[in-house]
Amino acid sequence: MKQLALDIGLASVPTLDSFFAGPNAAALDHLRLWTSGGTRAPVPSYLWGESGSGKTHLLQAVHHALKEQGAQVGWLDANAMNSPEFNEAWTAVLMDDVHLYNLDQQHTAFNWFVNALTPRSGTPRWVLAAGSLPPADLQLRDDLRTRLGWGHVYALHVLDEPERRAVLRQEADARGLFLSDELMSYMLKRFSRDLGSLMQLLDHLDQYALQAQRALTIPLVRAMLENE
C-alpha cells in the first residue's frame, strides 16, 4: 500500500463541536464546561488513550475555543524546542503527548504546572494534559506524574467502525461530498483507521475533487494516490 502524503494545511481547525463523542461523551462534556466562559475551580484535567482516540483533537479544540474568547494559552508538546517561561497572562496551560517528554520538557511541564496552580498573581490557572497512558503508568519524574493524576482523569476510547463511518459521513456531508458505502469501506480498509488521519484524508480528497471537478469514486482515489 502506497503511503499518502497529505497537505496538513488543508485540514480544518479542530473544534469541540466537530468531535464525535461516542464513548467519550463524559470527557467532551467536561471540556465544554471548562471552555464555556464561566468561573471554574482550577482542578487539573488529564486525558489518556491510545493513538486515534482524539486526545490531540480535543487539546487543539480547547486551545482554539479559549483563543476565540481572547484568552492567552500556554502550549507544550513533545516537539517543542526552547519552551518559554510560564506567562502570568496565560489563562490555561495545555500539554500534549506527555508520555514522550524528554527531561527538559518534563522540567518545563513541572514548572508550568506549579506556576499555574500557585501563580505569583491572580487566580490559579487550568492545566489540561494528555498522554497515551494513565498517570500512574507514565515514565516521567515522580513530581510531574503525581500532579498529572491529581485532578480529573478521563480515559478516551478509539471509535469502532460504525462510529468511524458515522464521523466520515458527518464530515463529508459538511463539505458537500458524497461518500458511498463502497468508498467508505475502501478508505477504512486501505488507510489508517486513526480518526485524525481519516479526517486529513477527507480534507485531501475534498481538495482533489474540487480540482478535478468530479465526484469521489474508488478509481478517482486510486488515481490521486498514483499521482502522489
Side-chain angles (χ1 to χ4, degrees), residues 9 38 40 50 52 85 93 96-97 113 118 151 167:
R40 310 296 175 194
E50 63 181 283
E85 295 294 324
V93 167
D96 196 18
D97 288 335
F113 211 115
T118 56
V167 173

Side-chain angles (χ1 to χ4, degrees), residues 136-189:
D137 295 337
L138 290 169
Q139 299 299 306
L140 301 174
R141 48 189 282 182
D142 289 341
D143 49 9
L144 176 58
R145 183 175 61 249
T146 55
R147 281 168 172 78
L148 289 170
W150 168 59
H152 304 284
V153 177
Y154 292 91
L156 299 182
H157 304 280
V158 176
L159 301 182
D160 59 25
E161 182 164 326
E163 290 166 334
R164 285 195 294 271
R165 285 177 176 269
V167 173
L168 285 172
R169 180 73 67 200
Q170 173 183 294
E171 291 298 314
D173 289 346
R175 292 164 171 77
L177 292 173
F178 172 71
L179 290 183
S180 67
D181 290 338
E182 183 184 19
L183 178 56
M184 203 176 300
S185 296
Y186 178 80
M187 292 169 62
L188 290 171
K189 179 180 179 180

